[in-house]
């Protein structure tokens, strides 16, 4: 599968001056449909008058935005998103949160874990504390760990469960493309290669990703590994080397050079404009069909908690809560009919 990660919104603390949504999104495209989708998107760009350049989601009309969504609906793509209100926080609050999150990286790591994992996390602590607050305000902050880590883990879990039932061959390879904001690798972009893999590996050691009974995970076996804590494998359990998955084929790429990132950018912009009230329902309401419905929260809304005893809190923005139910109502089911029947029969 091909995974494109981009963002929308300015991640600058506004000291509570106003509410403003900022989103990190992941767009998953089946590799078997990459070529056809890219050809169709090029034709759409021509119709929209941007055949030779990049279409920015911030400039699309309601009609144009709906056309992009309608195109993506034809190719069994998956959209995952994590949204925060970047306008709520002060710079000092972000500094405090950043240090606390960095210190928590080693919370559940013991001497029993692999030395390489421990060293990677120590290095990642130093990298995270050195991040500028303009970036820290959104990407690595959120529920229990960073938004980037949480979004990537949720995206992986959703995509593997969904395609294991419908397109199992897609689990055989993972192509990652992350939008490169500058000519040089920024500290935050470096986290995608140095911090996110060990974070997810440490998390999945304690809480493995969900798997669907009866689904075909055989193509994921090329990423099998032994338990990272050195314990003996448990029969019937999968031990996936998340680091290998995330580094299978990874590149930081300017969005103007990659059609997949351009589509991810448009989806991110449509979502943030809907939440910020700058795009009317005809342009965004069908976006929900690109999400896979989750039991608790399909579109992840996160508010950082400045309380040292909490990691996150409920989002209270009334506009957001008017938009999200419409999106979630149109989301696709995770289980196929066959899988649903197997789940009922197994009693899980």
């Amino acid at each position: 599968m091909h995974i494109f990660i981009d963002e929308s919104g300015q991640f600058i603390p506004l000291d509570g001056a106003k509410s403003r949504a900022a989103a990190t999104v992941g767009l998953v495209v089946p590799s078997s449909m990459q070529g056809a989708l890219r050809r169709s998107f090029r034709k759409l760009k021509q119709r929209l008058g941007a055949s030779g350049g990049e279409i920015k989601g911030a400039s699309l009309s309601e009609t144009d935005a709906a056309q992009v969504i309608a195109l993506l609906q034809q190719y069994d793509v998956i959209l995952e998103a994590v949204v925060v209100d970047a306008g709520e926080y002060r710079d000092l609050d972000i500094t405090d949160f950043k240090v606390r999150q960095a210190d928590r990286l080693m919370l559940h790591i013991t001497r029993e874990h692999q030395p390489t994992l421990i060293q990677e996390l120590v290095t990642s602590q130093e990298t995270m504390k050195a991040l500028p607050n303009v970036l820290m305000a959104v990407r690595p902050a959120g529920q229990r760990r960073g938004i980037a880590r949480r979004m990537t883990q949720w995206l992986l879990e959703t995509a593997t469960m969904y395609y294991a039932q419908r397109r199992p061959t897609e689990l055989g390879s993972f192509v990652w493309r992350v939008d490169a904001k500058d000519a040089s690798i920024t500290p935050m972009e470096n986290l995608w290669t140095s911090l996110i893999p060990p974070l997810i590996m440490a998390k999945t050691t304690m809480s493995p990703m969900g798997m669907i009974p009866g689904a075909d995970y055989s193509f994921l076996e090329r990423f099998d590994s032994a338990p990272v804590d050195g314990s003996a494998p448990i029969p019937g359990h999968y031990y996936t080397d998340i680091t290998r998955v995330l580094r299978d084929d990874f590149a930081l790429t300017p969005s103007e050079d990659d059609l997949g990132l351009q589509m991810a950018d448009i989806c991110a912009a449509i979502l943030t404009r809907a939440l910020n009230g700058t795009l009317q329902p005809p342009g965004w309401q069908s976006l929900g069909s690109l999400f896979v419905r989750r039991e608790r929260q399909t579109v992840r809304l996160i508010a950082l908690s400045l309380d040292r005893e909490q990691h996150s809190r409920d989002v209270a923005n009334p506009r957001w809560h008017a938009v999200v139910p419409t999106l979630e109502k149109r989301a696709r089911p995770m289980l196929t009919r066959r899988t649903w029947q197997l789940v009922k029969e197994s009693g899980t």
Side-chain angles (χ1 to χ4, degrees):
M1 64 187 76
H2 281 62
I3 303 169
F4 304 96
I5 296 176
D6 205 344
E7 62 190 24
S8 178
Q10 296 180 339
F11 305 140
I12 302 174
L14 293 179
D15 295 350
K18 62 179 180 179
S19 173
R20 185 179 60 205
T24 299
V25 306
L27 178 67
V28 188
V29 180
S31 296
S32 58
M33 309 191 83
Q34 269 287 305
L37 175 55
R38 288 174 181 269
R39 288 191 293 272
S40 296
F41 185 58
R42 288 192 188 96
K43 292 178 181 178
L44 178 59
K45 287 177 63 176
Q46 291 178 345
R47 294 198 299 272
L48 297 180
S51 57
E54 180 179 359
I55 299 178
K56 301 302 290 186
S59 63
L60 291 179
S61 68
E62 278 75 13
T63 300
D64 294 343
Q67 287 188 62
V68 175
I69 297 172
L71 173 65
L72 292 172
Q73 288 173 333
Q74 302 174 39
Y75 293 93
D76 204 19
V77 306
I78 293 173
L79 188 65
E80 187 79 35
V82 177
V83 186
V84 298
D85 191 337
E88 290 190 23
Y89 312 105
R90 298 178 304 161
D91 193 65
L92 289 176
D93 296 328
I94 300 303
T95 298
D96 179 64
F97 192 93
K98 174 176 61 178
V99 173
R100 283 190 286 133
Q101 290 295 296
D103 290 340
R104 289 185 61 82
L105 293 183
M106 300 293 293
L107 184 61
H108 297 285
I109 303 301
T110 69
R111 293 181 179 180
E112 300 299 322
H113 287 85
Q114 294 179 354
T116 54
L117 174 62
I118 295 174
Q119 183 56 52
E120 284 188 7
L121 289 175
V122 170
T123 302
S124 296
Q125 281 184 315
E126 299 172 355
T127 302
M128 182 179 286
K129 291 179 179 180
L131 287 172
N133 286 354
V134 63
L135 295 172
M136 190 64 199
V138 174
R139 284 188 176 177
Q143 292 180 342
R144 300 194 179 275
R145 299 293 191 277
I147 278 182
R149 192 275 297 168
R150 293 293 293 178
M151 195 277 292
T152 305
Q153 182 179 345
W154 285 328
L155 184 151
L156 266 178
E157 185 175 61
T158 299
T160 53
M161 289 195 298
Y162 182 85
Y163 290 128
Q165 301 170 76
R166 298 164 175 86
R167 300 174 181 272
T169 59
E170 297 296 333
L171 278 62
S173 66
F174 296 82
V175 179
W176 300 84
R177 294 294 179 265
V178 177
D179 185 24
K181 299 302 180 184
D182 301 300
S184 59
I185 297 179
T186 67
M188 179 54 69
E189 289 166 343
N190 188 50
L191 287 184
W192 288 102
T193 55
S194 63
L195 176 62
I196 303 304
L199 271 177
I200 296 181
M201 181 62 79
K203 176 62 178 176
T204 53
T205 299
M206 298 174 291
S207 179
M209 293 191 299
M211 305 189 83
I212 301 293
D216 183 358
Y217 290 93
S218 60
F219 290 89
L220 194 62
E221 291 177 0
R222 66 177 288 245
F223 300 102
D224 281 357
S225 68
V228 296
D229 60 1
S231 61
I234 301 175
H237 284 233
Y238 286 85
Y239 297 91
T240 303
D241 189 336
I242 300 297
T243 299
R244 285 181 58 203
V245 169
L246 295 174
R247 296 172 179 170
D248 189 27
D249 185 345
F250 179 93
L252 294 164
T253 306
S255 59
E256 60 264 26
D257 296 337
D258 192 290
L259 293 177
L261 286 172
Q262 292 177 32
M263 289 183 276
D265 169 82
I266 291 173
C267 291
I270 291 173
L271 178 59
T272 55
R273 289 176 64 190
L275 295 171
N276 288 329
T278 60
L279 187 69
Q280 298 306 306
W284 60 259
Q285 57 190 5
S286 59
L287 186 69
S289 64
L290 305 182
F291 288 89
V292 176
R293 188 176 298 112
R294 299 296 294 247
E295 182 177 354
R296 293 187 60 188
Q297 198 178 64
T298 300
V299 181
R300 323 284 182 150
L301 306 179
I302 290 179
L304 310 188
S305 174
L306 304 180
D307 185 339
R308 289 179 176 272
E309 301 302 319
Q310 296 178 314
H311 303 294
S312 62
R313 55 187 171 78
D314 293 336
V315 175
N317 189 309
R319 181 187 294 122
W320 293 18
H321 286 288
V323 169
V324 170
T326 298
L327 297 176
E328 296 194 334
K329 183 178 181 180
R330 299 193 177 211
R332 287 167 287 168
M334 169 62 77
L335 302 181
T336 62
R337 291 182 179 180
R338 175 182 177 277
T339 305
W340 177 241
Q341 185 61 38
L342 289 174
V343 170
K344 288 197 299 182
E345 292 174 356
S346 64
T348 59

